[in-house]
């Protein structure tokens, strides 16, 4: 159980770091260059980020927390379940419902980078905050084991 809890913590930390990095450095960096270049760079990023390491953290965070909740005893289970819920809603659902459709619109040329960047970054920051909250909840669950 301890190994699963630590893996869950690691996955939440990786996802938090990914979302945080985009909001605090990648998007401001892209906003500082010519919009056509920023758009091309973001299209490339959106294609290259779809890899097994992303899927491991993105899908693994809520799933590992859910499994940890199922396997944990006592109060720890509630913390892991809360982490799974926060991760699912704040990261997974926001990504699927908002960020990915925006990525697709940018890729299709139906959304300008000027319109894309502020909204995408705001929702990405929400994902970072939700992932950080999930990370804290996993940490509390870990301490409760």
């Amino acid at each position: 159980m301890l190994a699963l809890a630590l893996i869950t913590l690691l996955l939440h930390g990786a996802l938090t770091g990914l979302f945080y990095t985009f909001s605090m450095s990648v998007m401001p960096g892209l906003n500082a260059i010519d919009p056509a270049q920023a758009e091309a760079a973001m299209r490339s990023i959106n294609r290259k980020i779809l890899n097994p390491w992303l899927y491991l953290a993105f899908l693994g965070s809520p799933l590992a927390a859910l499994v940890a909740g199922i396997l944990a005893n006592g109060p720890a289970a509630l913390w892991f379940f809360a982490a799974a819920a926060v991760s699912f809603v704040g990261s997974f659902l926001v990504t699927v419902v908002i960020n990915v459709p925006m990525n697709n619109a940018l890729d299709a040329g139906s959304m300008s980078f000027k319109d894309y960047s502020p909204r995408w970054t705001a929702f990405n920051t929400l994902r970072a905050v939700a992932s950080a909250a999930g990370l804290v909840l996993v940490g509390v669950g870990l301490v409760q084991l």
Side-chain angles (χ1 to χ4, degrees):
M1 182 62 216
L2 179 60
L4 175 60
L6 290 172
I7 289 168
T8 304
L9 187 72
L10 177 65
L11 292 171
H12 277 78
L15 198 57
T16 300
L18 173 69
F19 293 146
Y20 172 78
T21 299
F22 263 89
S23 286
M24 63 83 57
S25 64
V26 173
M27 296 309 288
L30 292 177
N31 289 333
I33 64 175
D34 176 71
Q37 292 176 326
E39 203 169 298
M42 193 65 187
R43 282 187 188 120
S44 179
I45 290 167
N46 286 338
R47 288 184 191 115
K48 294 297 181 182
I49 201 168
L50 300 176
N51 66 67
W53 293 109
L54 170 70
Y55 295 128
L56 177 64
F58 181 66
L59 300 173
S61 293
L63 289 175
L66 179 62
V67 172
I70 292 167
L71 298 178
N73 295 319
L78 295 175
W79 293 102
F80 289 119
F81 285 137
V86 167
S87 182
F88 180 75
V89 172
S91 174
F92 183 81
L93 282 182
V94 170
T95 299
V96 170
V97 172
I98 298 168
N99 290 87
V100 168
M102 289 181 69
N103 292 345
N104 294 340
L106 186 73
D107 193 50
S110 60
M111 178 179 269
S112 71
F113 192 77
K114 181 179 115 309
D115 294 331
Y116 170 90
S117 181
R119 183 167 184 247
W120 190 95
T121 303
F123 280 101
N124 184 70
T125 302
L126 173 64
R127 297 188 300 177
V129 170
S131 294
L135 177 66
V136 170
L137 292 167
V138 169
V140 174
L142 184 60
V143 171
Q144 297 291 318
L145 288 177

